[in-house]
Each structure stands twice: as C-alpha cells, then as structure tokens.
Amino acid sequence: GAVVSQHPSRVICKSGTSVKIECRSLDFQATTMFWYRQFPKQSLMLMATSNEGSKATYEQGVEKDKFLINHASLTLSTLTVTSAHPEDSSFYICSARDDPRGSPLHFGNGTRLTVT
Amino acid sequence: QKEVEQDPGPLSVPEGAIVSLNCTYSNSAFQYFMWYRQYSRKGPELLMYTYSSGNKEDGRFTAQVDKSSKYISLFIRDSQPSDSATYLCAMSYSGGYQKVTFGTGTKLQVIP
C-alpha cells in the first residue's frame, strides 16, 4: 500500500517553456502532498506543501509564480515549472502521507528535469 | 550548524558485512525518526519508521534511536550488493503535517 506515482520520470525542455509534473496517490487519499527538490549529493529540500482545495504553502525562497502547484483532487497534485531556465534543472520528487494523523512520507520516483 | 548531520560517505563494505549508518541532530523536539533508501535516479523508499527512543528490527535492518545523545543509527546485517544505495535519515516533530528534516544521505557500496 501507500503508493505514490509521479509522471513523467524524465523531461527535457527548452529554456522559456513550461513543464508540468503530476503526482498521484494510487491507493489512498492525500489531502496534503509535498514537493521536494534534490540537487546532486545534497539532501531533499522541501519546496512547498500542496493542500487539496486550497492554496499551496511555499517554503522561504521558493517563487510561487515560478513553481505553480495545483491540488485539484484528493489523489492528484501537479507542479508546473513556468518559463523554465537551465538553473531549474533538478530532480523533483513528490510525497504524501497515507494517514494525516501520523505516518511517514511515501515518495514518488521523481522527475529529472533538464532545461536546455 | 545543520539540524541533521549525516556523513556523506561513500562507505564501501564487502558483501556479508554489518553496516552501521548514523545521524546526529541538534533539535531535541524531534520525536519521529525515519530511514529511507534511495537508488540512483529514484525516489526515496521508506525502510524504517520509529517513534522516540529505542530499537526497531525488520529483517536485516535495525534502527536505533538514542534521544539523550541525539543520535540515530541504522544497522544492516548480512549486507548484499542490492543494498548499494544512498541512505537518508529523516526526522520530524510529529507524525502529522509537520515538516520533515532530512540528512544529506550516506552513499553505501556493497562489494560482491
């Protein structure tokens, strides 16, 4: 149980274009999902908390107009990187808890974004 | 000082060895402790989840938490080449919505 699916696993786009990443909880409902970014040899950095039916909560230093988050249903959150630039190239990973009262995070398999 | 410190390694061991992975932390308010395994280009996979101090065993894996020393460990017995991955420790104040803080990860290589 507690499977989180993320798509696509890899995307290459040109500078200035936008990219959408989907995160789905397959066997549970998630009122909250979390988006992380991971640089090589560095830890996971929380970007934002996605809340179903309301606005996402962004961590300090994360541009909300750059990284648009939509959590339209209890099983789907999307992250759109708008007007992508090479410095946005990174590994983006979503996660969710299957029990909001208390359970560990379950992660998707990540999306490798390369902006050329 | 980082909230969570983890030796990045790499750590190389022969197959069958006992592996010890460790993290220290500075915030005594952390109550929940986790270990994740991350293969290259994949998302982290939950290995162990513990609350407060004590030991927890699951197959070849044992997690230990010593809150008095602010120190957590993951032991892997009879290590296998398939255990080669990066191991991330993580902790949070509570099990609910609270933010999870991760270590930088230790890269482990088990040599056949």
Short mmCIF file of all heavy atoms in Angstrom, two decimals, chain A residues 20-83:
data_model
loop_
_atom_site.label_atom_id
_atom_site.label_comp_id
_atom_site.label_asym_id
_atom_site.label_seq_id
_atom_site.Cartn_x
_atom_site.Cartn_y
_atom_site.Cartn_z
N LYS A 20 4.92 20.48 -16.78
CA LYS A 20 4.02 20.05 -15.72
C LYS A 20 4.41 18.66 -15.25
O LYS A 20 4.61 17.74 -16.05
CB LYS A 20 2.58 20.04 -16.21
CG LYS A 20 1.58 19.58 -15.14
CD LYS A 20 0.16 19.47 -15.66
CE LYS A 20 -0.49 20.81 -15.81
NZ LYS A 20 -1.93 20.71 -16.14
N ILE A 21 4.46 18.50 -13.92
CA ILE A 21 4.77 17.20 -13.31
C ILE A 21 3.57 16.78 -12.49
O ILE A 21 3.04 17.58 -11.71
CB ILE A 21 6.02 17.31 -12.41
CG1 ILE A 21 7.22 17.81 -13.22
CG2 ILE A 21 6.34 15.97 -11.77
CD1 ILE A 21 8.42 18.20 -12.36
N GLU A 22 3.14 15.53 -12.65
CA GLU A 22 1.98 15.02 -11.93
C GLU A 22 2.39 14.08 -10.80
O GLU A 22 3.32 13.29 -10.94
CB GLU A 22 1.05 14.26 -12.87
CG GLU A 22 0.36 15.13 -13.90
CD GLU A 22 -0.69 14.35 -14.67
OE1 GLU A 22 -0.72 13.11 -14.57
OE2 GLU A 22 -1.49 15.00 -15.38
N CYS A 23 1.66 14.16 -9.72
CA CYS A 23 1.89 13.28 -8.58
C CYS A 23 0.53 12.71 -8.14
O CYS A 23 -0.39 13.48 -7.84
CB CYS A 23 2.52 14.07 -7.43
SG CYS A 23 2.85 13.10 -5.94
N ARG A 24 0.46 11.39 -8.12
CA ARG A 24 -0.79 10.74 -7.76
C ARG A 24 -0.61 9.76 -6.61
O ARG A 24 0.38 9.03 -6.56
CB ARG A 24 -1.35 9.95 -8.95
CG ARG A 24 -1.77 10.80 -10.13
CD ARG A 24 -2.30 9.94 -11.27
NE ARG A 24 -2.60 10.75 -12.46
CZ ARG A 24 -3.75 11.37 -12.67
NH1 ARG A 24 -4.73 11.25 -11.79
NH2 ARG A 24 -3.93 12.08 -13.76
N SER A 25 -1.56 9.79 -5.68
CA SER A 25 -1.60 8.75 -4.66
C SER A 25 -2.52 7.66 -5.20
O SER A 25 -3.69 7.91 -5.49
CB SER A 25 -2.12 9.31 -3.33
OG SER A 25 -3.38 9.94 -3.49
N LEU A 26 -1.99 6.45 -5.36
CA LEU A 26 -2.72 5.41 -6.08
C LEU A 26 -3.70 4.65 -5.21
O LEU A 26 -4.75 4.20 -5.68
CB LEU A 26 -1.74 4.43 -6.73
CG LEU A 26 -0.84 5.02 -7.83
CD1 LEU A 26 -0.04 3.92 -8.48
CD2 LEU A 26 -1.64 5.79 -8.85
N ASP A 27 -3.39 4.44 -3.96
CA ASP A 27 -4.25 3.58 -3.14
C ASP A 27 -4.66 4.26 -1.84
O ASP A 27 -5.09 3.59 -0.90
CB ASP A 27 -3.54 2.26 -2.84
CG ASP A 27 -2.14 2.47 -2.31
OD1 ASP A 27 -1.69 3.63 -2.20
OD2 ASP A 27 -1.49 1.47 -2.00
N PHE A 28 -4.56 5.57 -1.81
CA PHE A 28 -5.03 6.30 -0.63
C PHE A 28 -5.32 7.73 -1.05
O PHE A 28 -4.91 8.18 -2.12
CB PHE A 28 -3.99 6.28 0.50
CG PHE A 28 -2.70 6.99 0.19
CD1 PHE A 28 -2.47 8.29 0.61
CD2 PHE A 28 -1.70 6.34 -0.54
CE1 PHE A 28 -1.28 8.94 0.33
CE2 PHE A 28 -0.51 6.98 -0.83
CZ PHE A 28 -0.30 8.28 -0.39
N GLN A 29 -6.05 8.41 -0.20
CA GLN A 29 -6.35 9.81 -0.47
C GLN A 29 -5.40 10.69 0.33
O GLN A 29 -5.11 10.41 1.48
CB GLN A 29 -7.80 10.11 -0.08
CG GLN A 29 -8.81 9.39 -0.98
CD GLN A 29 -10.24 9.75 -0.64
OE1 GLN A 29 -10.55 10.07 0.50
NE2 GLN A 29 -11.12 9.71 -1.62
N ALA A 30 -4.94 11.73 -0.30
CA ALA A 30 -3.96 12.61 0.33
C ALA A 30 -4.46 14.05 0.29
O ALA A 30 -4.47 14.68 -0.77
CB ALA A 30 -2.61 12.50 -0.37
N THR A 31 -4.88 14.56 1.44
CA THR A 31 -5.29 15.96 1.48
C THR A 31 -4.08 16.88 1.36
O THR A 31 -4.21 18.04 1.01
CB THR A 31 -6.03 16.27 2.79
OG1 THR A 31 -5.19 15.88 3.89
CG2 THR A 31 -7.33 15.50 2.87
N THR A 32 -2.93 16.34 1.66
CA THR A 32 -1.70 17.12 1.60
C THR A 32 -0.62 16.33 0.88
O THR A 32 -0.43 15.15 1.15
CB THR A 32 -1.20 17.48 3.01
OG1 THR A 32 -2.22 18.18 3.71
CG2 THR A 32 0.05 18.35 2.95
N MET A 33 0.06 16.98 -0.04
CA MET A 33 1.22 16.40 -0.70
C MET A 33 2.37 17.38 -0.60
O MET A 33 2.16 18.58 -0.41
CB MET A 33 0.90 16.08 -2.17
CG MET A 33 -0.09 14.94 -2.35
SD MET A 33 -0.30 14.53 -4.10
CE MET A 33 -1.38 13.11 -3.99
N PHE A 34 3.57 16.86 -0.70
CA PHE A 34 4.76 17.67 -0.51
C PHE A 34 5.65 17.57 -1.75
O PHE A 34 5.86 16.48 -2.28
CB PHE A 34 5.54 17.20 0.72
CG PHE A 34 4.72 17.16 1.97
CD1 PHE A 34 3.98 16.03 2.31
CD2 PHE A 34 4.68 18.25 2.82
CE1 PHE A 34 3.21 15.99 3.46
CE2 PHE A 34 3.91 18.22 3.99
CZ PHE A 34 3.18 17.10 4.30
N TRP A 35 6.18 18.70 -2.16
CA TRP A 35 7.08 18.73 -3.31
C TRP A 35 8.49 19.07 -2.84
O TRP A 35 8.71 20.07 -2.14
CB TRP A 35 6.61 19.76 -4.34
CG TRP A 35 5.39 19.31 -5.08
CD1 TRP A 35 4.09 19.58 -4.79
CD2 TRP A 35 5.38 18.46 -6.23
NE1 TRP A 35 3.26 18.98 -5.69
CE2 TRP A 35 4.02 18.28 -6.59
CE3 TRP A 35 6.36 17.84 -7.00
CZ2 TRP A 35 3.63 17.50 -7.69
CZ3 TRP A 35 5.96 17.07 -8.09
CH2 TRP A 35 4.62 16.91 -8.41
N TYR A 36 9.43 18.21 -3.24
CA TYR A 36 10.83 18.38 -2.87
C TYR A 36 11.67 18.56 -4.13
O TYR A 36 11.32 18.13 -5.23
CB TYR A 36 11.34 17.15 -2.12
CG TYR A 36 10.84 17.01 -0.71
CD1 TYR A 36 9.60 16.42 -0.45
CD2 TYR A 36 11.59 17.46 0.36
CE1 TYR A 36 9.13 16.29 0.85
CE2 TYR A 36 11.14 17.31 1.67
CZ TYR A 36 9.91 16.73 1.90
OH TYR A 36 9.46 16.61 3.18
N ARG A 37 12.84 19.15 -3.90
CA ARG A 37 13.82 19.29 -4.96
C ARG A 37 15.13 18.75 -4.40
O ARG A 37 15.46 18.94 -3.22
CB ARG A 37 13.97 20.78 -5.31
CG ARG A 37 14.88 21.08 -6.47
CD ARG A 37 14.78 22.55 -6.84
NE ARG A 37 15.67 22.87 -7.95
CZ ARG A 37 15.74 24.07 -8.52
NH1 ARG A 37 14.98 25.07 -8.08
NH2 ARG A 37 16.56 24.28 -9.52
N GLN A 38 15.86 18.03 -5.25
CA GLN A 38 17.10 17.42 -4.79
C GLN A 38 18.20 17.70 -5.80
O GLN A 38 18.10 17.34 -6.97
CB GLN A 38 16.93 15.91 -4.62
CG GLN A 38 18.12 15.23 -3.97
CD GLN A 38 17.86 13.74 -3.74
OE1 GLN A 38 17.22 13.09 -4.54
NE2 GLN A 38 18.39 13.21 -2.64
N PHE A 39 19.27 18.34 -5.34
CA PHE A 39 20.45 18.58 -6.15
C PHE A 39 21.43 17.44 -5.90
O PHE A 39 21.39 16.79 -4.85
CB PHE A 39 21.07 19.92 -5.79
CG PHE A 39 20.23 21.10 -6.20
CD1 PHE A 39 19.47 21.78 -5.27
CD2 PHE A 39 20.20 21.52 -7.52
CE1 PHE A 39 18.67 22.86 -5.64
CE2 PHE A 39 19.41 22.60 -7.90
CZ PHE A 39 18.65 23.26 -6.96
N PRO A 40 22.32 17.20 -6.87
CA PRO A 40 23.29 16.11 -6.71
C PRO A 40 24.05 16.20 -5.40
O PRO A 40 24.52 17.28 -5.01
CB PRO A 40 24.21 16.29 -7.92
CG PRO A 40 23.38 16.98 -8.93
CD PRO A 40 22.46 17.88 -8.16
N LYS A 41 24.13 15.08 -4.71
CA LYS A 41 24.88 14.96 -3.46
C LYS A 41 24.36 15.90 -2.37
O LYS A 41 25.10 16.23 -1.44
CB LYS A 41 26.37 15.19 -3.71
CG LYS A 41 26.98 14.18 -4.65
CD LYS A 41 28.47 14.40 -4.82
CE LYS A 41 29.05 13.38 -5.79
NZ LYS A 41 30.51 13.56 -6.00
N GLN A 42 23.12 16.31 -2.50
CA GLN A 42 22.53 17.15 -1.47
C GLN A 42 21.23 16.52 -0.96
O GLN A 42 20.68 15.62 -1.59
CB GLN A 42 22.26 18.55 -2.00
CG GLN A 42 23.51 19.34 -2.31
CD GLN A 42 23.22 20.79 -2.60
OE1 GLN A 42 22.23 21.35 -2.14
NE2 GLN A 42 24.08 21.42 -3.38
N SER A 43 20.78 17.04 0.15
CA SER A 43 19.58 16.48 0.75
C SER A 43 18.33 16.96 0.02
O SER A 43 18.38 17.82 -0.85
CB SER A 43 19.51 16.89 2.22
OG SER A 43 18.43 16.27 2.85
N LEU A 44 17.22 16.37 0.41
CA LEU A 44 15.93 16.80 -0.12
C LEU A 44 15.56 18.15 0.48
O LEU A 44 15.64 18.34 1.69
CB LEU A 44 14.86 15.78 0.24
CG LEU A 44 15.01 14.41 -0.41
CD1 LEU A 44 14.22 13.37 0.36
CD2 LEU A 44 14.56 14.46 -1.85
N MET A 45 15.15 19.05 -0.38
CA MET A 45 14.74 20.37 0.09
C MET A 45 13.25 20.54 -0.17
O MET A 45 12.81 20.47 -1.32
CB MET A 45 15.53 21.46 -0.62
CG MET A 45 16.99 21.52 -0.25
SD MET A 45 17.85 22.83 -1.12
CE MET A 45 16.87 24.25 -0.68
N LEU A 46 12.50 20.78 0.88
CA LEU A 46 11.07 20.99 0.72
C LEU A 46 10.82 22.30 0.00
O LEU A 46 11.32 23.35 0.40
CB LEU A 46 10.38 21.00 2.08
CG LEU A 46 8.87 21.22 2.07
CD1 LEU A 46 8.16 20.05 1.39
CD2 LEU A 46 8.33 21.40 3.48
N MET A 47 10.04 22.21 -1.09
CA MET A 47 9.71 23.41 -1.85
C MET A 47 8.37 23.98 -1.38
O MET A 47 8.23 25.18 -1.15
CB MET A 47 9.61 23.10 -3.33
CG MET A 47 10.88 22.61 -3.97
SD MET A 47 10.59 22.13 -5.67
CE MET A 47 10.12 23.68 -6.41
N ALA A 48 7.38 23.09 -1.29
CA ALA A 48 6.04 23.56 -0.98
C ALA A 48 5.17 22.42 -0.51
O ALA A 48 5.45 21.25 -0.77
CB ALA A 48 5.42 24.21 -2.22
N THR A 49 4.14 22.79 0.22
CA THR A 49 3.13 21.84 0.69
C THR A 49 1.86 22.10 -0.09
O THR A 49 1.35 23.23 -0.11
CB THR A 49 2.88 22.02 2.19
OG1 THR A 49 4.12 21.81 2.89
CG2 THR A 49 1.84 21.03 2.69
N SER A 50 1.38 21.08 -0.74
CA SER A 50 0.21 21.18 -1.59
C SER A 50 -1.03 20.75 -0.81
O SER A 50 -1.06 19.66 -0.26
CB SER A 50 0.42 20.25 -2.80
OG SER A 50 -0.75 20.12 -3.57
N ASN A 51 -2.01 21.61 -0.74
CA ASN A 51 -3.22 21.35 0.03
C ASN A 51 -4.43 21.21 -0.89
O ASN A 51 -4.70 22.11 -1.69
CB ASN A 51 -3.46 22.49 1.02
CG ASN A 51 -2.28 22.72 1.92
OD1 ASN A 51 -1.89 21.86 2.68
ND2 ASN A 51 -1.69 23.91 1.83
N GLU A 52 -5.14 20.11 -0.77
CA GLU A 52 -6.30 19.87 -1.62
C GLU A 52 -7.36 20.94 -1.39
O GLU A 52 -7.76 21.20 -0.26
CB GLU A 52 -6.87 18.48 -1.33
CG GLU A 52 -7.96 18.04 -2.29
CD GLU A 52 -9.36 18.41 -1.80
OE1 GLU A 52 -9.53 18.55 -0.58
OE2 GLU A 52 -10.26 18.56 -2.65
N GLY A 53 -7.75 21.59 -2.47
CA GLY A 53 -8.81 22.57 -2.42
C GLY A 53 -8.41 23.94 -1.92
O GLY A 53 -9.27 24.81 -1.77
N SER A 54 -7.14 24.15 -1.66
CA SER A 54 -6.70 25.47 -1.22
C SER A 54 -5.30 25.76 -1.75
O SER A 54 -4.69 24.93 -2.42
CB SER A 54 -6.72 25.57 0.31
OG SER A 54 -5.80 24.67 0.88
N LYS A 55 -4.82 26.93 -1.44
CA LYS A 55 -3.52 27.35 -1.96
C LYS A 55 -2.39 26.56 -1.32
O LYS A 55 -2.46 26.17 -0.15
CB LYS A 55 -3.31 28.84 -1.70
CG LYS A 55 -4.21 29.75 -2.52
CD LYS A 55 -3.90 31.21 -2.23
CE LYS A 55 -4.78 32.12 -3.07
NZ LYS A 55 -4.49 33.57 -2.80
N ALA A 56 -1.34 26.39 -2.11
CA ALA A 56 -0.16 25.71 -1.59
C ALA A 56 0.61 26.63 -0.65
O ALA A 56 0.51 27.87 -0.74
CB ALA A 56 0.73 25.27 -2.74
N THR A 57 1.36 26.03 0.22
CA THR A 57 2.22 26.77 1.14
C THR A 57 3.65 26.60 0.69
O THR A 57 4.15 25.48 0.62
CB THR A 57 2.07 26.24 2.58
OG1 THR A 57 0.70 26.28 2.97
CG2 THR A 57 2.91 27.07 3.54
N TYR A 58 4.32 27.71 0.38
CA TYR A 58 5.67 27.64 -0.17
C TYR A 58 6.70 27.91 0.91
O TYR A 58 6.50 28.73 1.81
CB TYR A 58 5.83 28.68 -1.29
CG TYR A 58 5.05 28.33 -2.53
CD1 TYR A 58 3.68 28.60 -2.64
CD2 TYR A 58 5.66 27.69 -3.61
CE1 TYR A 58 2.96 28.26 -3.76
CE2 TYR A 58 4.95 27.35 -4.75
CZ TYR A 58 3.60 27.63 -4.82
OH TYR A 58 2.88 27.29 -5.94
N GLU A 59 7.83 27.23 0.80
CA GLU A 59 8.94 27.46 1.71
C GLU A 59 9.64 28.77 1.34
O GLU A 59 9.56 29.25 0.21
CB GLU A 59 9.92 26.31 1.67
CG GLU A 59 9.35 25.01 2.17
CD GLU A 59 8.95 25.09 3.64
OE1 GLU A 59 9.82 25.40 4.48
OE2 GLU A 59 7.76 24.83 3.93
N GLN A 60 10.32 29.31 2.31
CA GLN A 60 11.03 30.57 2.10
C GLN A 60 12.03 30.43 0.96
O GLN A 60 12.78 29.45 0.89
CB GLN A 60 11.75 30.98 3.39
CG GLN A 60 12.32 32.38 3.35
CD GLN A 60 12.91 32.78 4.70
OE1 GLN A 60 12.98 31.98 5.63
NE2 GLN A 60 13.31 34.02 4.82
N GLY A 61 12.00 31.40 0.06
CA GLY A 61 12.94 31.39 -1.05
C GLY A 61 12.43 30.70 -2.30
O GLY A 61 13.10 30.74 -3.34
N VAL A 62 11.28 30.05 -2.22
CA VAL A 62 10.70 29.38 -3.38
C VAL A 62 9.68 30.31 -4.04
O VAL A 62 8.75 30.77 -3.39
CB VAL A 62 10.03 28.06 -2.99
CG1 VAL A 62 9.39 27.40 -4.21
CG2 VAL A 62 11.04 27.13 -2.35
N GLU A 63 9.87 30.59 -5.32
CA GLU A 63 8.99 31.51 -6.03
C GLU A 63 7.68 30.83 -6.40
O GLU A 63 7.64 29.93 -7.23
CB GLU A 63 9.67 32.00 -7.31
CG GLU A 63 10.98 32.73 -7.10
CD GLU A 63 11.62 33.07 -8.43
OE1 GLU A 63 11.00 33.80 -9.22
OE2 GLU A 63 12.73 32.59 -8.70
N LYS A 64 6.60 31.28 -5.83
CA LYS A 64 5.31 30.64 -6.09
C LYS A 64 4.82 30.88 -7.51
O LYS A 64 4.05 30.08 -8.05
CB LYS A 64 4.26 31.10 -5.07
CG LYS A 64 4.00 32.59 -5.07
CD LYS A 64 2.96 32.93 -3.99
CE LYS A 64 2.66 34.41 -3.97
NZ LYS A 64 1.68 34.77 -2.90
N ASP A 65 5.24 31.98 -8.12
CA ASP A 65 4.84 32.23 -9.51
C ASP A 65 5.67 31.42 -10.49
O ASP A 65 5.28 31.24 -11.65
CB ASP A 65 4.99 33.72 -9.84
CG ASP A 65 4.04 34.57 -9.04
OD1 ASP A 65 2.94 34.06 -8.69
OD2 ASP A 65 4.37 35.73 -8.74
N LYS A 66 6.78 30.93 -10.02
CA LYS A 66 7.66 30.12 -10.84
C LYS A 66 7.25 28.64 -10.78
O LYS A 66 7.26 27.94 -11.76
CB LYS A 66 9.09 30.27 -10.31
CG LYS A 66 10.13 29.38 -10.93
CD LYS A 66 10.49 29.89 -12.27
CE LYS A 66 11.69 29.19 -12.82
NZ LYS A 66 11.95 29.62 -14.21
N PHE A 67 6.91 28.23 -9.59
CA PHE A 67 6.54 26.84 -9.35
C PHE A 67 5.07 26.80 -8.94
O PHE A 67 4.74 26.93 -7.76
CB PHE A 67 7.43 26.22 -8.26
CG PHE A 67 8.88 26.21 -8.61
CD1 PHE A 67 9.74 27.19 -8.12
CD2 PHE A 67 9.41 25.23 -9.44
CE1 PHE A 67 11.10 27.18 -8.44
CE2 PHE A 67 10.76 25.21 -9.77
CZ PHE A 67 11.60 26.19 -9.27
N LEU A 68 4.21 26.61 -9.93
CA LEU A 68 2.77 26.61 -9.69
C LEU A 68 2.31 25.23 -9.25
O LEU A 68 2.61 24.24 -9.89
CB LEU A 68 2.02 27.02 -10.97
CG LEU A 68 2.31 28.42 -11.50
CD1 LEU A 68 1.52 28.67 -12.77
CD2 LEU A 68 1.99 29.48 -10.47
N ILE A 69 1.57 25.21 -8.15
CA ILE A 69 1.08 23.94 -7.61
C ILE A 69 -0.44 23.96 -7.60
O ILE A 69 -1.05 24.92 -7.15
CB ILE A 69 1.65 23.70 -6.20
CG1 ILE A 69 3.14 23.43 -6.30
CG2 ILE A 69 0.92 22.53 -5.53
CD1 ILE A 69 3.83 23.33 -4.96
N ASN A 70 -1.00 22.85 -8.09
CA ASN A 70 -2.44 22.68 -8.09
C ASN A 70 -2.77 21.32 -7.48
O ASN A 70 -2.20 20.30 -7.86
CB ASN A 70 -2.98 22.76 -9.52
CG ASN A 70 -4.50 22.70 -9.57
OD1 ASN A 70 -5.09 21.65 -9.32
ND2 ASN A 70 -5.12 23.80 -9.85
N HIS A 71 -3.67 21.32 -6.52
CA HIS A 71 -4.07 20.07 -5.86
C HIS A 71 -5.58 19.97 -5.98
O HIS A 71 -6.31 20.24 -5.04
CB HIS A 71 -3.62 20.14 -4.39
CG HIS A 71 -3.63 18.81 -3.69
ND1 HIS A 71 -2.74 18.52 -2.69
CD2 HIS A 71 -4.40 17.72 -3.83
CE1 HIS A 71 -2.96 17.30 -2.24
NE2 HIS A 71 -3.97 16.80 -2.91
N ALA A 72 -6.01 19.55 -7.17
CA ALA A 72 -7.43 19.64 -7.52
C ALA A 72 -8.27 18.50 -6.95
O ALA A 72 -9.48 18.61 -6.85
CB ALA A 72 -7.58 19.68 -9.03
N SER A 73 -7.63 17.40 -6.59
CA SER A 73 -8.39 16.28 -6.04
C SER A 73 -7.60 15.63 -4.93
O SER A 73 -6.45 15.99 -4.68
CB SER A 73 -8.69 15.25 -7.14
OG SER A 73 -7.55 14.46 -7.41
N LEU A 74 -8.22 14.68 -4.25
CA LEU A 74 -7.57 14.02 -3.12
C LEU A 74 -6.47 13.05 -3.55
O LEU A 74 -5.79 12.47 -2.70
CB LEU A 74 -8.61 13.28 -2.27
CG LEU A 74 -9.51 14.19 -1.45
CD1 LEU A 74 -10.64 13.38 -0.82
CD2 LEU A 74 -8.73 14.90 -0.35
N THR A 75 -6.31 12.83 -4.85
CA THR A 75 -5.30 11.90 -5.31
C THR A 75 -4.33 12.50 -6.33
O THR A 75 -3.47 11.80 -6.84
CB THR A 75 -5.95 10.66 -5.95
OG1 THR A 75 -6.76 11.08 -7.05
CG2 THR A 75 -6.80 9.90 -4.94
N LEU A 76 -4.46 13.78 -6.62
CA LEU A 76 -3.61 14.37 -7.66
C LEU A 76 -3.13 15.76 -7.28
O LEU A 76 -3.92 16.63 -6.95
CB LEU A 76 -4.38 14.44 -8.98
CG LEU A 76 -3.66 15.17 -10.14
CD1 LEU A 76 -2.39 14.43 -10.54
CD2 LEU A 76 -4.60 15.30 -11.35
N SER A 77 -1.81 15.94 -7.37
CA SER A 77 -1.21 17.26 -7.24
C SER A 77 -0.30 17.45 -8.44
O SER A 77 0.35 16.51 -8.89
CB SER A 77 -0.42 17.37 -5.95
OG SER A 77 0.28 18.61 -5.88
N THR A 78 -0.25 18.66 -8.96
CA THR A 78 0.64 18.95 -10.08
C THR A 78 1.56 20.11 -9.75
O THR A 78 1.18 21.05 -9.04
CB THR A 78 -0.14 19.28 -11.37
OG1 THR A 78 -0.95 20.44 -11.14
CG2 THR A 78 -1.01 18.12 -11.80
N LEU A 79 2.77 20.01 -10.26
CA LEU A 79 3.76 21.08 -10.13
C LEU A 79 4.10 21.53 -11.54
O LEU A 79 4.52 20.70 -12.37
CB LEU A 79 5.02 20.57 -9.42
CG LEU A 79 6.24 21.48 -9.46
CD1 LEU A 79 6.01 22.75 -8.64
CD2 LEU A 79 7.48 20.75 -8.94
N THR A 80 3.90 22.80 -11.83
CA THR A 80 4.26 23.35 -13.13
C THR A 80 5.43 24.31 -12.96
O THR A 80 5.32 25.29 -12.21
CB THR A 80 3.07 24.09 -13.77
OG1 THR A 80 1.98 23.18 -13.92
CG2 THR A 80 3.45 24.63 -15.14
N VAL A 81 6.51 24.01 -13.64
CA VAL A 81 7.67 24.90 -13.66
C VAL A 81 7.47 25.83 -14.85
O VAL A 81 7.50 25.41 -16.00
CB VAL A 81 8.98 24.11 -13.80
CG1 VAL A 81 10.17 25.07 -13.74
CG2 VAL A 81 9.09 23.05 -12.72
N THR A 82 7.21 27.08 -14.56
CA THR A 82 6.90 28.04 -15.62
C THR A 82 8.16 28.74 -16.11
O THR A 82 9.09 28.98 -15.34
CB THR A 82 5.90 29.09 -15.12
OG1 THR A 82 6.51 29.83 -14.06
CG2 THR A 82 4.62 28.44 -14.62
N SER A 83 8.18 29.00 -17.41
CA SER A 83 9.31 29.70 -18.03
C SER A 83 10.63 29.14 -17.50
O SER A 83 11.45 29.84 -16.89
CB SER A 83 9.22 31.20 -17.75
OG SER A 83 10.22 31.91 -18.46
#
